[in-house]
Amino acid sequence: MAKYIIKRILWMIPVMLGVLIIVFTISYLTPGDPVITILGSGYTPEKYAAKAAELNLDKGYFGQLGSYIWGIVTRFDFGKSFYSNLSITGEFARRFPITAALGIFGCIIMVVLGLPLGILSAVKQYSVLDYTLTVIALVLAAMPGFVLAILGLVLFGVRLRWLPITGLDTPKSWILPLATNAMPCVAMIMRQTRTNMLEVIRQDYIRTARSKGLSERTILWKHALKNCLIPIITVTGGMVAMVMAGSIITENIFNIKGMGTYMYAAIMQRDYPIVNGCVLLIAFIVCCVNLIVDICYALIDPRIRARYASSGKKHKKKAHKEVT
Amino acid sequence: MSLLEIKNLSIHFVTRYSDVHAVNGVDLTIEEGKTLGLVGETGAGKTTTALGILRLIQKPQGRYESGEIIFKGKDLLKATDDEMRSVRGNEISMIFQDPMTALNPILTVGDQIAEVIHLHGKCSQAEANERAVKMLEMVGIRAERAGEYPHQFSGGMKQRVVIAMALACNPSLLIADEPTTALDVTIQAQVLEMMADLKKGRGTAMLLITHDLGIVAENCDDVAIMYAGEVIEYGTLERIFHNPKHPYTLGLFGSIPSLDKDEERLHPIEGLMPDPAALPAGCKFHDRCAYATDECASCEQELAEMESGHKVRCARVMKGEI
Ligand SMILES: Nc1ncnc2c1ncn2[C@@H]1O[C@H](COP(=O)(O)OP(=O)(O)OP(=O)(O)O)[C@@H](O)[C@H]1O
Ligand SMILES: [Mg+2]
């Protein structure tokens, strides 16, 4: 298992390199000369050459790619913004923790709310509670995040004045951004959990568990839940990407100085070094989430664990099937 | 007093669109330590009867319309959920039709056996684990495999695990629903033999559900033939095999049934069993019966005692016309 994890981590290197090359190439090929954009009209050839050299844009494709990779690998340096001349790495260090906190809390809310509500909904199938939760989930899942955010803002921020409408300065101010970011995911996790749970409790092995005289609670927690989690882990992994995409909107609406606003502004200004850096960071996070998802699978499902173990040490393959 | 007495048991599956009469007025008796064979075509209601005994009928559509299930003098249909749970797996346990899906894929087989011992055996987890391993050895699985998961076992071994689980708490009644149908022919005999041995050693009574007359001949003391949710013939193995009366039973055995001849399989009978959602009036078998008269199509038949230890649900047999 440890071997498998190390292998997976090593695999991330070529994947990240691939993403890096693709991202860099796209921005390289994008029409428009950043130097002219920055200098505006009325520059001299000397000024142009100086700026191009400063931005590393005078070296040709491979030269630029090489020094970009070198900078990231050796100094964790993503370059500088075309416009503000601020170091991107420094900006990341300031903004990423905010977005990460929003994302992590969002995922926690998503699991802590979505999972139990889904289970409840399944166990009490066709009850009033089930129908109510289903309707709420459908509405939340169907409503785009920004609509939810604006509705929340207008109702709780402007009308009722319960919650602040911008920033993240007080604990209270976290409520609206977190809620609007996490709610659609809560709804989806809930629906998924309900479906899986209903599927699992129809299985033969649950009937076997009942025939043993186990209490409904033991059946639910010991026999059904883990089986039901396997597909949910996949969905949760996917949700992480959704939460991150959602953070662009949320942060802009609530004016939060995180990665979302940074990236949004950079895209609007065509500040390619920032965009590239953000994309790389997102790719890295997605890779990590995938790894975590796979590890979770293995922890829960012995069939998958066995596959990992055997792919790690093929030579030690045991003949498992004994003739009965 | 018999160990289990089922009286007039009826179970229907009611949905918005249909009302399936799966079990209709079934009477069965199982004596302590004896084996009752329950035979019938697919859809006859055998599994439903078995699940009915343990109150494991699928809710909310499955309903008990009538009946009593007297186990050791107590009516299980009147027992509380708690009482029922202490019966399940402890006094009555069940082996299901398909061993491939009967075990939880994410728990070790040892765990799954120990669980039931720990629950009913009133012993520590460690002791339960120890006893689980002993059970595994008893069904011919090496002790060190207790920590393995179901996917690491073959079908035959899974069924052995299920059997070990079912017998772990020394139940007085074992319900085996086609325990070997899903298995390879070569291991069917082995598994059955093992079950018979274990059962004999412990004095466990058994309700053995099967399609296979050979299995019935070798394992059962009494036989009940089921058709469209009713028991249509019921008696000792000897009586049913040497002197079958009901036209349906006769059909099952082919023309000349014999305990000695190789009558392994049920013979197909012309026609289909009626749809349990729309059962005909009168005798349920009349439209496939070679001896049917107009009366058979209109009058309900009762399961009547023909001789002691032999009951038949057929008006013409009772009148001595067949
Ligand atoms: N949960 C259910 N909902 C609706 N109908 C059901 C349900 N379970 C069983 N039935 C119906 O009840 C009838 C009896 O089914 P049962 O499973 O008891 O048959 P069986 O004798 O065990 O057949 P087999 O030999 O194929 O196992 C069938 O017509 C079946 O369609
Ligand atoms: Mg069946």
Side-chain angles (χ1 to χ4, degrees):
Chain A
M1 190 66 200
K3 233 179 182 172
Y4 172 79
I5 295 172
I6 293 169
K7 209 167 89 181
R8 281 291 307 264
I9 291 174
L10 290 179
W11 256 108
M12 277 166 69
I13 296 172
V15 170
M16 289 309 302
L17 207 64
V19 173
L20 195 153
I21 292 172
I22 292 169
V23 166
F24 179 83
T25 309
I26 290 173
S27 69
Y28 181 82
L29 293 176
T30 315
D33 187 335
V35 181
I36 298 176
T37 321
I38 294 165
L39 293 175
S41 53
Y43 53 85
T44 59
E46 296 79 51
K47 258 189 169 173
Y48 182 95
K51 195 74 190 169
E54 184 195 328
L55 294 176
N56 238 335
L57 292 176
D58 55 349
K59 280 190 205 142
Y61 175 73
F62 287 104
Q64 286 182 38
L65 178 62
S67 61
Y68 187 49
I69 295 176
W70 187 249
I72 293 174
V73 172
T74 57
R75 285 170 280 134
F76 201 67
D77 180 4
F78 290 90
K80 282 179 184 166
S81 157
F82 279 163
Y83 300 97
S84 68
N85 222 1
L86 285 173
S87 141
I88 295 172
T89 308
E91 205 66 8
F92 274 4
R94 209 163 326 134
R95 289 168 175 266
F96 183 69
I98 298 172
T99 303
L102 269 177
I104 289 168
F105 285 135
C107 288
I108 291 173
I109 293 177
M110 169 169 101
V111 171
V112 165
L113 273 183
L115 212 59
L117 288 180
I119 293 170
L120 205 63
S121 207
V123 172
K124 305 236 181 282
Q125 194 189 6
Y126 303 135
S127 66
V128 177
L129 179 79
D130 178 29
Y131 285 124
T132 315
L133 286 173
T134 302
V135 170
I136 294 175
L138 285 178
V139 171
L140 285 177
M143 198 165 356
F146 67 90
V147 175
L148 204 63
I150 292 169
L151 284 180
L153 209 79
V154 170
L155 181 61
F156 296 107
V158 180
R159 278 283 153 88
L160 299 171
R161 292 181 179 285
W162 287 351
L163 300 169
I165 53 174
T166 59
L168 280 179
D169 310 320
T170 56
K172 247 179 155 182
S173 58
W174 283 74
I175 296 175
L176 271 179
L178 270 179
T180 50
N181 215 359
M183 276 309 152
C185 299
V186 169
M188 277 167 95
I189 294 283
M190 197 183 104
R191 296 299 296 161
Q192 186 74 34
T193 308
R194 178 181 181 273
T195 312
N196 291 342
M197 203 54 168
L198 287 176
E199 174 75 26
V200 167
I201 55 183
R202 281 197 301 114
Q203 297 295 315
D204 282 356
Y205 54 79
I206 298 296
R207 192 175 59 183
T208 307
R210 280 214 178 90
S211 82
K212 292 202 266 189
L214 298 171
S215 66
E216 287 301 311
R217 172 186 272 171
T218 313
I219 292 172
L220 189 67
W221 292 107
K222 187 168 172 191
H223 288 261
L225 185 62
K226 268 188 170 183
N227 278 296
C228 154
L229 280 181
I230 294 167
I232 291 172
I233 293 169
T234 322
V235 180
T236 312
M239 294 284 129
V240 173
M242 221 174 104
V243 167
M244 284 192 324
S247 78
I248 297 188
I249 294 161
T250 317
E251 287 181 10
N252 278 292
I253 290 177
F254 293 101
N255 193 19
I256 294 164
K257 303 257 174 295
M259 295 294 292
T261 36
Y262 191 44
M263 193 162 146
Y264 179 76
I267 292 171
M268 286 316 184
Q269 285 186 306
R270 300 183 186 230
D271 202 338
Y272 291 120
I274 299 180
V275 177
N276 290 356
C278 289
V279 171
L280 283 177
L281 195 68
I282 290 173
F284 180 72
I285 293 168
V286 169
C287 275
C288 292
V289 168
N290 280 343
L291 179 64
I292 294 170
V293 163
D294 282 352
I295 292 172
C296 285
Y297 275 148
L299 287 181
I300 290 180
D301 193 332
R303 289 162 294 188
I304 293 174
R305 195 155 61 229
R307 212 154 60 223
Y308 289 169
S310 69
S311 73
K313 38 182 177 182
K314 278 207 176 78
H315 54 281
K316 248 183 95 183
K317 213 167 171 184
K318 244 191 342 198
H320 270 317
K321 265 202 180 156
E322 282 174 26
V323 183
T324 333
Chain B
M1 189 181 63
S2 315
L3 179 68
L4 179 79
E5 215 177 329
I6 301 176
K7 291 182 194 156
N8 192 30
L9 179 68
S10 296
I11 299 170
H12 295 181
F13 293 100
V14 186
T15 61
R16 210 180 303 169
Y17 311 103
S18 67
D19 182 2
V20 178
H21 294 217
V23 175
N24 308 299
V26 162
D27 298 297
L28 291 174
T29 312
I30 300 177
E31 304 294 336
E32 208 109 18
K34 290 279 172 23
T35 299
L36 170 67
L38 189 56
V39 183
E41 279 175 87
T42 176
K46 306 181 296 295
T47 301
T48 308
T49 307
L51 290 174
I53 296 171
L54 280 174
R55 295 221 332 233
L56 289 174
I57 299 293
Q58 196 182 33
K59 281 174 195 163
Q61 56 270 52
R63 293 193 193 151
Y64 292 90
E65 293 296 321
S66 68
E68 286 171 41
I69 299 174
I70 316 287
F71 177 74
K72 292 188 173 168
K74 264 175 87 182
D75 188 352
L76 295 184
L77 292 186
K78 294 203 180 81
T80 62
D81 287 350
D82 274 345
E83 284 169 334
M84 209 52 224
R85 273 197 289 273
S86 68
V87 168
R88 287 182 199 141
N90 188 22
E91 301 200 71
I92 307 179
S93 55
M94 182 153 176
I95 299 171
F96 292 98
Q97 218 158 338
D98 187 358
M100 294 310 186
T101 54
L103 294 169
N104 194 328
I106 55 156
L107 298 173
T108 66
V109 296
D111 253 1
Q112 295 188 55
I113 300 174
E115 181 178 49
V116 69
I117 300 174
H118 181 58
L119 179 69
H120 299 296
K122 298 188 177 52
C123 59
S124 70
Q125 189 63 50
E127 200 189 328
N129 290 343
E130 212 170 287
R131 278 170 60 188
V133 170
K134 284 217 186 79
M135 285 308 299
L136 273 180
E137 283 178 325
M138 207 157 65
V139 295
I141 295 174
R142 280 185 289 108
E144 62 265 29
R145 302 205 60 181
E148 293 185 10
Y149 293 90
H151 72 271
Q152 293 167 289
F153 291 81
S154 69
M157 295 181 87
K158 275 187 211 163
Q159 193 63 309
R160 283 159 188 258
V161 172
V162 172
I163 292 169
M165 203 156 80
L167 291 174
C169 290
N170 268 322
S172 11
L173 175 64
L174 176 66
I175 301 174
D177 188 0
E178 308 192 28
T180 56
T181 313
L183 302 181
D184 198 310
V185 196
T186 52
I187 52 176
Q188 282 187 0
Q190 275 183 30
V191 168
L192 276 168
E193 205 171 300
M194 190 193 72
M195 271 173 62
D197 281 352
L198 291 173
K199 182 178 121 27
K200 214 173 282 163
R202 295 152 173 254
T204 314
M206 178 154 78
L207 176 63
L208 178 63
I209 299 174
T210 179
H211 287 127
D212 191 327
L213 292 177
I215 291 179
V216 175
E218 273 164 40
N219 295 281
C220 299
D221 303 297
D222 297 299
V223 184
I225 314 281
M226 232 179 143
Y227 184 81
E230 294 177 338
V231 173
I232 51 103
E233 187 158 7
Y234 183 49
T236 61
L237 181 74
E238 290 284 301
R239 295 287 316 179
I240 302 284
F241 273 67
H242 284 309
N243 199 7
K245 285 293 177 197
H246 197 285
Y248 178 69
T249 318
L250 288 170
L252 286 184
F253 282 102
S255 43
I256 324 157
S258 160
L259 265 180
D260 320 311
K261 252 185 68 185
D262 263 357
E263 288 293 347
E264 292 275 307
R265 294 282 154 196
L266 302 186
H267 285 249
I269 304 169
E270 284 284 308
L272 290 171
M273 205 178 66
D275 178 2
L279 290 173
C283 172
K284 311 274 186 289
F285 185 59
H286 77 263
D287 52 349
R288 291 168 83 185
C289 180
Y291 309 94
T293 61
D294 288 347
E295 195 197 340
C296 292
S298 54
C299 293
E300 278 293 328
Q301 313 298 330
E302 292 294 316
L303 185 65
E305 185 130 28
M306 214 182 71
E307 285 165 50
S308 114
H310 193 168
K311 293 178 183 174
V312 183
R313 193 188 284 265
C314 177
R316 299 206 64 198
V317 168
M318 292 315 293
K319 285 186 206 148
E321 291 171 357
I322 302 173

